[in-house]
Amino acid sequence: MTAETRLLLVGAGHAHLHLLRQADQLRRAGYVVTLVAPPWFDYSGAAAGVAVGARDPAVGRIDVARLAQGGVEHRPTRVTRLDADTRAATCADGEQISWDVVSLNIGSVAATPPGLSVHPDVVRVKPLDDLHRLREHVATHHGGAGLRVSVVGAGPSGIELAAQLALVPHVARVTVLESGASLGAFLPTGAASRLARLLDHRGVVVRCGVDLVEVGASRAVLRDGTEIVHDVAVLATGLAPPPLATAAPWGGPGGLPVEATLQHRDHADVYAAGDCVDFLPGRLARIGVHGVRQGPVLLEALLARSAGGPAPVYTPPSTSLSILDLGGGTALAVRGGRWWFGRASLLLKRAIDRRWLARYRS
Ligand SMILES: Cc1cc2nc3c(=O)[nH]c(=O)nc-3n(C[C@H](O)[C@H](O)[C@H](O)COP(=O)(O)OP(=O)(O)OC[C@H]3O[C@@H](n4cnc5c(N)ncnc54)[C@H](O)[C@@H]3O)c2cc1C
């Protein structure tokens, strides 16, 4: 390694936030760090509440520009292209940035199921900038009949959104359209039943086993021709790697293929973490916990690289706690086969979220 190594960080996801906080260690190890990322980071743990207008966007926001002031050159834009031959990134504003080592932590996008036609006006749960359009719909809809929303997909984010939308006074109808045979197949059976009762109690219409062919701006269409009319639809059909992580030169269909060291399978100078990776030792769910836990591994990997030491490896936890914020002061916490429903689960979620966010705000 030369005395100075140009390290380019693309995206300020969970793992890179950790690097920004430890930037002095990287500098001491000989890295000159440049970050290309929007000036703030929005925390998905607060995203549903923010999207339905129940919570202030500031509750989940981290000031990336401020965090980068600890010795990182920050470009508040996005990378649109990576060139492996010239080792240069092209940014949305046209600037080219060269690197010796590059790391990507750029999150995910809402997955579009094959064969489903989705209108551009449909709100996608990810990136979160797009989900924020739902907040505008909710805030600006003053029609007499109330807002009708179709939520396509009953995974964790679709359920959080449907449950919380149902509590908004001028939302007249929430319809959940799920292709699977039952609601909450990813949950323990008792938790799925409890959730179904809550949604029913709040008047949410849940339609499972639907075969959708189109999600339009004003209606969803099933293969048998049935139409569900709405004012806005939300696509919550799972998370997929963003185009930059699936495109040449380094991407694959599942994202950037990385080894347990978070190093690209074929390019030792390329690292990646979080939702944008295809973790080769075993498929990982696209949940924030991996990005959070990969942060320290990525830092150690970069330090070991400059010191000539062995690379650390990321070992995913065997289970993790996930907590769905269902609005109305209640949440569903799940760990493995165990679950807890009620206010205490929400208080726990809030405490975990606050502690994590505080790290990057002080
Ligand atoms: C509604 C909703 C609720 C969720 N709730 C939870 C939850 O409670 N717990 C949980 O564990 N997971 C939750 N998830 C999943 C969670 O959002 C992701 O797993 C997590 O955010 C992935 O983290 P990451 O660090 O990979 O990327 P992200 O947190 O998505 O961060 C990536 C960052 O990179 C930036 N970026 C993207 N492209 C570029 C580019 N080309 N150039 C520069 N910067 C770029 C983005 O602006 C973003 O700030 C939720 C998801 C949704 C949609």
Side-chain angles (χ1 to χ4, degrees):
M1 180 176 266
T2 54
E4 280 198 343
T5 303
R6 293 166 303 173
L7 169 63
L8 175 62
L9 304 179
V10 183
H14 297 72
H16 282 180
L17 289 173
H18 181 76
L19 297 195
L20 295 182
R21 205 162 151 257
Q22 306 296 337
D24 54 334
Q25 288 197 55
L26 290 168
R27 266 202 325 277
R28 282 200 299 273
Y31 290 103
V32 177
V33 187
T34 302
L35 167 75
V36 180
W40 60 77
F41 166 90
D42 285 314
Y43 181 55
S44 55
V50 170
V52 306
R55 303 186 76 194
D56 189 318
V59 295
R61 196 153 268 187
I62 291 172
D63 187 341
V64 169
R66 190 165 159 265
L67 200 57
Q69 282 168 7
V72 170
E73 184 68 43
H74 177 214
R75 305 285 206 281
T77 178
R78 285 171 185 273
V79 167
T80 52
R81 211 168 71 83
L82 293 159
D83 189 321
D85 297 329
T86 61
R87 290 177 172 242
T90 306
C91 300
D93 59 8
E95 192 188 354
Q96 301 253 329
I97 300 174
S98 302
W99 77 78
D100 300 307
V101 177
V102 63
S103 176
L104 291 100
N105 184 196
I106 54 174
S108 49
V109 295
T112 306
L116 182 65
S117 153
V118 181
H119 192 278
D121 282 353
V122 171
V123 171
R124 292 166 176 266
V125 286
K126 270 253 168 151
L128 293 182
D129 301 357
D130 203 51
L131 182 59
H132 289 162
R133 291 196 295 125
L134 180 61
R135 187 177 170 92
E136 290 158 33
H137 280 281
V138 172
T140 57
H141 186 88
H142 299 299
L147 189 71
R148 295 159 302 176
V149 189
S150 291
V151 176
V152 181
S157 53
I159 284 173
E160 274 198 341
L161 287 165
Q164 296 204 33
L165 278 165
L167 295 175
V168 177
H170 60 279
V171 170
R173 193 188 70 213
V174 181
T175 308
V176 174
L177 300 167
E178 163 61 36
S179 60
S182 62
L183 181 85
F186 60 95
L187 294 168
T189 316
S193 308
R194 184 65 191 86
L195 188 64
R197 282 210 305 285
L198 174 123
L199 293 177
D200 185 49
H201 182 69
R202 291 187 184 173
V204 175
V205 179
V206 178
R207 298 185 61 167
C208 292
V210 296
D211 187 4
L212 272 174
V213 290
E214 181 191 339
V215 187
S218 59
R219 60 184 194 154
V221 184
L222 308 189
R223 192 169 301 280
D224 65 7
T226 309
E227 293 189 359
I228 295 108
V229 175
H230 52 236
D231 301 300
V232 59
V234 183
L235 192 71
T237 39
L239 301 178
L244 201 59
T246 55
W250 306 317
L256 293 152
V258 297
E259 307 288 356
T261 55
L262 304 179
Q263 240 166 347
H264 193 285
R265 180 186 53 203
D266 307 317
H267 303 274
D269 298 333
V270 178
Y271 293 78
D275 278 10
C276 66
V277 307
D278 177 3
F279 190 69
L280 297 173
R283 194 169 171 272
L284 298 181
R286 292 199 157 89
I287 49 175
V289 67
H290 296 302
V292 169
R293 289 175 177 238
Q294 285 168 354
V297 177
L298 186 57
L299 176 67
E300 289 309 314
L302 291 165
L303 297 178
R305 178 190 180 96
S306 75
V313 295
Y314 177 61
T315 308
S318 54
T319 60
S320 60
L321 176 70
S322 80
I323 307 182
L324 299 180
D325 180 352
L326 302 170
T330 201
L332 176 64
V334 181
R335 181 174 208 135
R338 303 175 70 199
W339 59 280
W340 302 265
F341 176 89
R343 182 159 176 75
S345 296
L346 184 67
L347 293 177
L348 176 63
K349 177 173 173 62
R350 293 278 195 271
I352 293 169
D353 291 355
R354 262 198 311 275
R355 198 173 58 216
W356 186 79
L357 286 162
R359 268 192 232 164
Y360 300 103
R361 287 173 167 168
S362 55

